[in-house]
Amino acid sequence: MTVTSPEFVAGLAADAKAAGITGLVAAAVINHDGRVLLVRRNPDDYMGGLWEIPSGTVEDGETILDALYRETTEETGLTIDQVTGFVGHFDYQNSRGGTTRQFNFSVTVEKTEPVVLTEHDAHQWALPGELPDVSNAVRELIAR
């Protein structure tokens, strides 16, 4: 079963629901020349100033992969060419006090520039060994 199969993706969502997870987020690990794309949260946002991989909420009626494609384009202006793997998930407490599960996929994009930010104040292509202020979960994810 491939990571892009409807059965695999539905299973991820079902597992999260069974675990009592209240929010689902899809995230893109975009590598280029040995570096990973990171975006920085606006200072006045929840977890402001923290660097993260492009990600966003799975909306009602949307699959995790639908959200992955939509959010990557919305947040970076980049278009996913191919989903190349599922690199795991992590859970965190969201701004409403519930638990969100972030599903992380390695992807390739049609082109890596320009990065056009709509919800973040900066971006960088970071070497895995030289990451800025990211969460431990993101640090571990990128180290995989």
Side-chain angles (χ1 to χ4, degrees), residues 32-36 38 124-132 142:
H32 177 66
D33 289 342
R35 297 173 184 265
V36 65
L38 298 174
Q124 66 172 285
W125 292 93
L127 289 169
E130 300 174 7
L131 298 177
I142 291 170

Side-chain angles (χ1 to χ4, degrees), residues 27-115:
V29 179
I30 306 168
N31 286 289
H32 177 66
D33 289 342
R35 297 173 184 265
V36 65
L37 180 62
L38 298 174
V39 291
R40 188 174 64 195
R41 296 181 74 86
N42 287 314
D44 54 351
D45 277 355
Y46 179 67
M47 297 188 290
L50 192 67
W51 289 86
E52 61 188 2
I53 56 177
S55 59
T57 302
V58 178
E59 304 291 349
D60 288 342
E62 210 176 29
T63 70
I64 294 167
L65 288 180
D66 291 340
L68 178 70
Y69 281 82
R70 179 182 52 76
E71 287 286 351
T72 300
T73 300
E74 281 180 9
E75 291 195 355
T76 67
L78 303 178
T79 301
I80 292 176
D81 180 47
Q82 186 175 11
V83 176
T84 57
F86 176 65
V87 289
H89 73 265
F90 57 82
D91 298 341
Y92 62 92
Q93 186 167 357
N94 62 40
S95 60
R96 298 168 305 285
T99 301
T100 292
R101 178 160 293 172
Q102 179 168 312
F103 300 98
N104 306 287
F105 295 86
S106 55
V107 304
T108 58
V109 291
E110 291 178 0
K111 53 186 183 179
T112 56
E113 297 293 335
V115 174

